[in-house]
Amino acid sequence: MASFLEELRAENAKAGLFASNPISISYPLGMPILDEMLGAIYIRTMEDGTIVRDVQLGVPAGSFTIFSGPTSSGKTTAAIQAASNIIEPFGDRAFVLHADGEKSTSPDRIRTINGWTLQQMEDSYSLEKEFNTWERLLTEIIAIGKRKDAKGMDAMYNTKHKDLKGNDIWYYVPTVVIVDSLAKFMSEKEAIDTINGLTGGGRGAIYNGIFFRNALEPMYKYNINVIVIAHIDDAMPGMNGLPKPKQMTFMPNGKYLSGGHKTKLFTSSIINFQPIARKDEIKTEEENGWNGVPTEAYVIKSRTSKGGFSVIMEFIQEAGFDSRLTLMRFAREKGIIAGRNPHCYFTDMPDVKFDTRCIMKELADKPDLTRALFTSCRPLLKDLIPVVDTSNDNDLIRRSKG
């Protein structure tokens, strides 16, 4: 006998009412440790007894992600790397739309960061420096959705994820939009619309919220992922006795993320980048083989956790966040590097020797070293992923197990 909900679906199928379309997949940003801690493994038992392990890493598909931080903290570089990593597996079926309101990014810088050929750039990366308004961006998002809709299954792929009934989930090939930055985007009406005398910041917050609200539906439907670059500043005292705007629980003390409350409300993931510029952490070509500083990626908001955790990633000035160096740091912290220079090794792979004093050269000269690094770190990375087990229907309380 059909349930009440099933009857409603059948009666209103033509109108599309009560239809359920729970697309729930994520895309790795290409940043080890951060991807694992943002993700989750969902375990459930199907009706036929099959146990499904649904592994999701990174950020939710078709959602807003905010990269925040002070000036020169690597926000834009992180966005370019993340966007490129998300679409790269799909070739010229996917692309990045980079709306550069800051007008500070060049095609050569993008190629240095993502390592793409000129043909890849031509096929899969659009860098726009003019007409950066919310109305234009929403028009482009809608146009992307219409084109995907017209192509139908040709614009979709089998995600290899299963729905609650065990069916394969097909979804549109991802598109990534970079908004660079929140402070530089405005509405076409904003400059002349006083909105009852509000300040420029107040008007901006209203139009930001309107865009986020209106864009979210086509983003989710057509798998369009928007990465927004935002600046984080010192919180200012309330004016005329008014309280300061509400912030998230895990916002660093004394800091404020501009853009309005709705901007943060509609965002699935907020990650703040803060360089660790202590003298003992600054890397130089002469001493370390690269120029840069480690950066703490602090997760203020996440779909799969409460937030409030952080990851330290190694940043190379010329090329951005480096997963190999980040994992080398992680391996040292976890105690899986043994021996002494120049004969260091991973505890589970003692035959692969390396010298940590010139690790960049070692990684370049020894292909086996990179493979050994990822292999040795894989079990530790897996342990970082939250596990949600809903396989026992007798449990009234669903428990998370690390």
Side-chain angles (χ1 to χ4, degrees):
M1 183 176 179
S3 69
F4 185 74
L5 178 57
E6 288 173 323
E7 291 173 351
L8 281 172
R9 286 172 177 160
E11 291 171 3
N12 296 275
K14 290 185 178 180
L17 300 177
F18 307 103
S20 180
N21 183 31
I23 301 295
S24 180
I25 63 173
S26 297
Y27 292 108
L29 304 175
M31 300 174 184
I33 308 173
L34 181 61
D35 279 330
E36 279 75 15
M37 296 185 73
L38 284 170
I41 298 175
Y42 298 95
I43 302 176
R44 59 181 181 267
T45 302
M46 311 307 296
E47 291 182 356
D48 62 0
T50 302
I51 297 178
V52 175
R53 289 174 58 87
D54 186 11
V55 181
Q56 301 192 25
L57 303 180
V59 297
S63 69
F64 283 105
T65 300
I66 289 180
F67 286 174
S68 67
T71 302
S72 301
S73 57
K75 304 183 297 295
T76 298
T77 298
I80 294 169
Q81 288 183 279
S84 301
N85 285 326
I86 289 172
I87 70 148
E88 200 166 32
F90 302 92
D92 60 6
R93 299 177 70 201
F95 76 98
V96 177
L97 169 60
H98 186 157
D100 183 19
E102 300 275 352
K103 299 176 176 53
S104 59
T105 302
S106 70
D108 287 331
R109 173 61 176 166
I110 295 170
R111 287 193 63 205
T112 300
I113 293 170
N114 61 23
W116 285 4
T117 65
L118 287 173
Q119 189 61 52
Q120 282 178 297
M121 287 290 293
E122 180 68 23
D123 291 339
S124 300
Y125 208 104
S126 177
L127 180 62
E128 300 183 358
K129 291 181 175 287
E130 298 181 351
F131 311 113
N132 297 129
T133 65
W134 292 126
E135 288 84 356
R136 175 186 170 94
L137 192 57
L138 182 59
T139 299
E140 290 182 318
I141 287 174
I142 292 172
I144 294 168
K146 287 182 177 179
R147 182 58 180 164
K148 288 184 178 184
D149 195 53
K151 291 178 71 69
M153 290 300 295
D154 288 340
M156 304 184 82
Y157 77 107
N158 188 341
T159 67
K160 307 300 183 183
H161 292 270
K162 303 285 186 181
D163 63 19
L164 293 178
K165 294 183 178 180
N167 301 313
D168 290 337
I169 295 176
W170 285 74
Y171 200 21
Y172 288 100
V173 168
T175 303
V176 182
V177 175
I178 299 175
V179 177
D180 192 6
S181 64
L182 187 63
K184 290 295 183 179
F185 267 70
M186 63 182 294
S187 166
E188 294 170 358
K189 302 177 181 179
E190 190 174 331
I192 57 175
D193 193 344
T194 59
I195 312 183
N196 295 326
L198 284 179
T199 64
R203 294 196 301 271
I206 288 175
Y207 286 117
N208 295 348
I210 291 172
F211 167 77
F212 274 62
R213 181 191 64 201
N214 292 340
L216 199 54
E217 184 173 345
M219 285 168 53
Y220 177 78
K221 183 175 182 179
Y222 296 109
N223 198 7
I224 301 169
N225 307 270
V226 179
I227 300 176
V228 179
I229 310 300
H231 297 280
I232 191 167
D233 300 306
D234 293 333
M236 298 188 66
M239 299 179 66
N240 299 323
L242 296 175
K244 291 180 292 186
K246 294 180 181 179
Q247 291 292 291
M248 285 73 68
T249 303
F250 296 104
M251 177 67 67
N253 290 333
K255 297 297 181 180
Y256 172 63
L257 182 64
S258 60
H261 179 63
K262 288 185 179 179
T263 300
K264 296 177 277 290
L265 178 66
F266 291 126
T267 299
S268 291
S269 307
I270 301 177
I271 305 167
N272 184 58
F273 294 87
Q274 181 66 52
I276 303 174
R278 298 195 310 264
K279 186 176 181 180
D280 62 320
E281 288 282 11
I282 296 174
K283 309 299 192 302
T284 63
E285 185 74 35
E286 295 75 19
E287 293 186 9
N288 308 97
W290 79 91
N291 298 308
V293 296
T295 296
E296 183 178 26
Y298 186 85
V299 178
I300 296 172
K301 182 180 180 182
S302 169
R303 181 194 64 174
T304 56
S305 72
K306 291 175 60 179
F309 60 85
S310 66
V311 174
I312 296 179
M313 305 187 299
E314 293 288 357
F315 182 84
I316 300 178
Q317 183 176 329
E318 295 81 10
F321 293 97
D322 191 286
S323 59
R324 302 165 305 167
L325 295 177
T326 297
L327 284 181
M328 273 292 180
R329 183 184 187 110
F330 178 69
R332 288 197 302 271
E333 292 173 351
K334 294 299 182 180
I336 63 172
I337 295 179
R340 295 183 178 180
N341 288 320
H343 302 296
C344 291
Y345 58 90
F346 300 111
T347 53
D348 63 336
M349 302 188 72
D351 293 336
V352 181
K353 301 293 196 299
F354 55 92
D355 191 332
T356 61
R357 296 169 299 184
C358 51
I359 195 62
M360 284 294 285
K361 186 176 186 304
E362 294 278 79
L363 288 166
D365 294 343
K366 301 176 180 179
D368 288 347
L369 177 55
T370 298
R371 286 193 291 270
L373 170 63
F374 279 85
T375 299
S376 296
C377 289
R378 188 171 292 119
L380 296 174
L381 292 174
K382 184 179 179 181
D383 286 343
L384 297 175
I385 309 173
V387 179
V388 182
D389 190 348
T390 62
S391 58
N392 187 351
D393 287 337
N394 293 323
D395 288 343
L396 296 178
I397 300 177
R398 305 308 189 186
R399 294 169 292 179
S400 295
K401 298 183 291 186

